[in-house]
């Protein structure tokens, strides 16, 4: 690499996937064969062995006593949730629909928890009947749960989701600190705990989630330390011993040029210290972290086929049959402030000479339908396969599939 080139931020290498004979391998299978097996494009493909690998790496880096939960909103594909259920210690759901998939996955209901700012009565009743842990996020939920418990005769297992008085610094999405729709403000929690005690609900612990998509170990260490301290303080007001303490997650993956994979060592040693303290200070508590994208994001690709190659005033456009209706986040329209490119490659032309300044667009009649803006890609033509990496989380289920009425893509787990 030339010295001058080193200045330009580049994508982290997508070396979680191997290549052979110029083809990207998904689950060990060349991508054009995967496409033939799926029978059509576009599709999402998730690689089972990468899911296994990621959980194994994480377990090796974290203390054994830390429980690992999968936040399934990152990817709710039923086969993938089933696979994850066999790898992790619990599943976190955020709706009645997700709860159904989690229960189908074979996860033990005792290890499923439910968070979300607007749980309706029906969802709460389902959750109580299922025997899962409900993270209470408002005073209203206490009253409804007490009523459901009384009328159904099933005990309601609850934890309190706390809106902390701090946030996860430098994170992609802040979900705690200041005014938020999530959880109950830390300063109101003592009153809420009193209500829970009066209502006779089975109190089990606390849930704190301060943010998402952080690539800064120091910020994660800091947030986990503060979450522990806040929970310890609030535990003094609890109607029962803390048995469950969810310290959140927020581990990010590299999407954009210049971003690098998170180094887990300091997070692991910090959690070991917190686990050691918890053995003394909260002896009945199980410490949990909950992760979505970190577990599944890097294991998935979105694959679309080039259906036209156009040159407009010198600019090369690869027009594909996939676009923002399937993959909103890769188009830059799912929370990004400045649009940046996801890592992209031509999956059946790996290692071939690059053509510079190529844009990949979808079939939708909007300039927002952009999957790669002026990137260096192997020279591609009609029939070639455009691969968008880092697509295992917040892909299909986070995209407006009905927009413009194209067919839905397929999802496969390989
Ligand atoms: C969205 C969410 C997660 C998952 O976030 P990731 O960035 O995918 O890890 C975890 N917990 C809660 C409460 C969430 O809302």
């Amino acid at each position: 690499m030339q010295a001058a080139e080193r200045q330009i931020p580049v994508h982290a290498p997508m070396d979680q996937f191997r290549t052979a004979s110029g083809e990207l391998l998904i689950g060990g299978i060349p991508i054009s064969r995967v496409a033939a097996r799926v029978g059509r494009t576009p599709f999402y493909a998730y690689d089972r062995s990468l899911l296994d690998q990621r959980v194994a790496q994480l377990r090796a880096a974290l203390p054994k006593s830390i429980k690992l939960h999968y936040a399934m909103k990152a990817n709710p594909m039923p086969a993938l949730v089933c696979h994850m259920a066999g790898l992790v210690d619990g599943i976190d759901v955020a709706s009645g629909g997700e709860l159904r998939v989690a229960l189908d996955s074979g996860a033990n209901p005792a290890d499923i928890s439910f968070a979300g700012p607007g749980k309706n009565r029906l969802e709460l009743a389902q959750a109580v009947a299922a025997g899962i842990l409900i993270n209470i996020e408002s005073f209203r939920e206490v009253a409804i749960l007490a009523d459901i418990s009384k009328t159904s005769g099933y005990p309601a297992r609850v934890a309190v989701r706390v809106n902390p008085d701090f946030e996860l610094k430098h994170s992609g999405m802040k979900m705690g600190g200041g005014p938020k729709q999530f959880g109950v403000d830390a300063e109101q929690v003592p009153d809420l705990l009193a209500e829970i005690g009066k209502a006779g609900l089975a109190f089990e612990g606390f849930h704190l989630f301060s943010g998402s998509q952080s690539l800064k170990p120091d910020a994660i260490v800091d947030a986990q330390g503060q979450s522990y301290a806040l929970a310890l303080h609030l535990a003094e007001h609890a109607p029962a011993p803390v048995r469950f303490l969810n310290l959140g997650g927020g581990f990010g993956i590299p999407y954009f040029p210049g971003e690098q994979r998170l180094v887990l060592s300091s997070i692991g040693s910090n959690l070991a210290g917190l686990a050691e303290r918890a053995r003394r200070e909260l002896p009945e508590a199980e410490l949990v972290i909950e992760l979505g994208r970190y577990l599944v994001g890097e294991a998935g690709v979105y694959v679309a086929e080039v259906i036209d190659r156009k040159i407009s005033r010198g600019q090369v456009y690869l027009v594909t049959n996939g676009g923002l209706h399937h993959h909103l986040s890769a188009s830059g329209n799912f929370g990004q402030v400045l649009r940046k490119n996801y890592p992209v490659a031509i999956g059946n032309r790996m290692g071939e000479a690059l053509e510079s300044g190529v844009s990949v667009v979808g079939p939708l009649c909007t300039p927002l339908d952009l999957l790669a803006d002026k990137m260096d890609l192997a020279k591609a033509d009609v029939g070639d396969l455009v691969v968008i990496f880092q697509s295992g989380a917040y892909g299909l289920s986070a995209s407006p599939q009905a927009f413009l009425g194209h067919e839905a893509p397929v999802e496969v787990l390989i």
Side-chain angles (χ1 to χ4, degrees):
M1 197 189 272
Q2 302 294 310
E5 276 178 76
R6 241 179 267 137
Q7 312 297 105
I8 304 168
V10 294
H11 284 110
M14 293 294 110
D15 51 11
Q16 68 270 40
F17 292 100
R18 289 179 298 121
T19 61
S21 310
E23 293 242 6
L24 189 75
L25 305 181
I26 312 290
I29 303 173
I31 192 147
S32 51
R33 186 162 183 171
V34 172
R37 161 175 154 168
V38 173
R40 52 193 260 223
T41 56
F43 59 88
Y44 277 91
Y46 313 117
D47 186 325
R48 249 177 242 279
S49 68
L50 293 179
L51 299 171
D52 298 347
Q53 236 178 61
R54 176 50 59 102
V55 172
Q57 286 162 349
L58 202 54
R59 297 251 193 225
L62 304 184
K64 289 218 167 18
S65 64
I66 299 284
K67 302 286 183 218
L68 195 57
H69 280 204
Y70 173 49
M72 65 169 279
K73 84 169 188 278
N75 189 329
M77 182 207 191
L80 181 139
V81 177
C82 279
H83 189 74
M84 295 307 292
L87 296 175
V88 298
D89 306 305
I91 306 279
D92 293 335
V93 304
S95 69
E98 286 193 354
L99 173 57
R100 254 194 319 271
V101 175
L103 291 168
D104 283 349
S105 78
N108 183 351
D111 300 321
I112 297 176
S113 60
F114 181 13
K119 305 179 198 76
N120 64 44
R121 189 183 173 98
L122 185 60
E123 290 173 315
L124 289 167
Q126 284 175 264
V128 171
I132 67 163
L133 183 66
I134 299 161
N135 291 310
I136 288 186
E137 310 209 19
S138 80
F139 285 82
R140 165 192 154 271
E141 288 180 355
V142 177
I144 295 179
L145 286 168
D147 187 47
I148 290 171
S149 227
K150 199 160 84 200
T151 50
S152 70
Y154 311 131
R157 299 175 52 218
V158 304
V160 172
R161 179 167 180 186
V162 182
N163 174 27
D165 41 11
F166 55 86
E167 58 189 30
L168 177 56
K169 296 190 192 78
H170 312 289
S171 58
M173 255 180 227
K174 299 195 195 322
M175 291 179 65
K180 286 282 179 299
Q181 71 268 50
F182 308 110
V184 173
D185 293 351
E187 53 279 19
Q188 295 182 34
V189 168
D191 288 345
L192 184 80
L193 290 166
E195 295 281 311
I196 289 171
K198 266 188 266 163
L201 304 178
F203 171 83
E204 298 194 11
F206 295 105
H207 173 217
L208 294 102
F209 186 78
S210 51
S212 186
Q213 180 50 24
S214 173
L215 291 169
K216 301 256 195 298
D218 292 354
I220 293 171
V221 162
D222 202 48
Q224 288 177 337
Q226 291 193 69
S227 295
Y228 179 85
L230 178 56
L232 187 64
H233 161 70
L234 293 172
E236 292 167 18
H237 303 271
V242 174
R243 295 171 49 197
F244 172 92
L245 175 51
N246 185 334
L247 294 172
F251 298 14
I253 61 172
Y255 287 106
F256 306 122
E259 293 182 344
Q260 264 138 40
R261 289 193 171 80
L262 193 59
V263 178
L264 295 175
S265 48
S266 61
I267 298 170
S269 51
N270 179 60
L271 284 173
L274 294 178
E276 183 53 44
R277 278 185 62 186
R279 270 190 283 279
R280 285 179 278 116
E281 297 168 336
L282 298 168
E284 295 184 37
E286 175 170 275
L287 261 46
V288 177
I289 60 167
E290 59 176 0
L291 299 170
R293 88 181 72 228
Y294 188 80
L295 297 180
V296 299
E298 300 213 51
V301 291
Y302 174 62
V303 181
E305 189 172 333
V306 178
I307 54 175
D308 205 349
R309 177 186 164 95
K310 292 169 67 170
I311 298 178
S312 168
R313 311 217 156 97
Q315 167 73 46
V316 177
Y317 286 94
L318 300 175
V319 184
T320 68
N321 58 359
L324 78 74
H325 52 314
H326 299 162
H327 202 334
L328 188 68
S329 50
S331 76
N333 294 295
F334 190 63
Q336 292 97 319
V337 181
L338 284 175
R339 189 193 177 284
K340 292 180 194 156
N341 289 322
Y342 269 46
V344 174
I346 307 300
N348 57 320
R349 297 187 180 281
M350 301 302 287
E352 291 188 13
L354 301 182
E355 176 177 38
S356 65
V358 177
S359 290
V360 179
V361 298
L364 307 190
C365 296
T366 163
L368 298 177
D369 195 10
L370 180 61
L371 295 176
D373 186 25
K374 301 188 184 68
M375 288 184 80
D376 296 348
L377 298 173
K379 186 163 182 196
D381 214 326
V382 174
D384 285 332
L385 298 172
V386 173
V387 173
I388 302 180
F389 294 99
Q390 308 299 74
S391 297
Y394 305 109
L396 185 57
S397 68
S399 300
Q401 286 174 67
F403 190 38
L404 272 101
H406 289 276
E407 268 189 76
V410 177
E411 286 180 290
V412 292
L413 178 64
I414 301 178

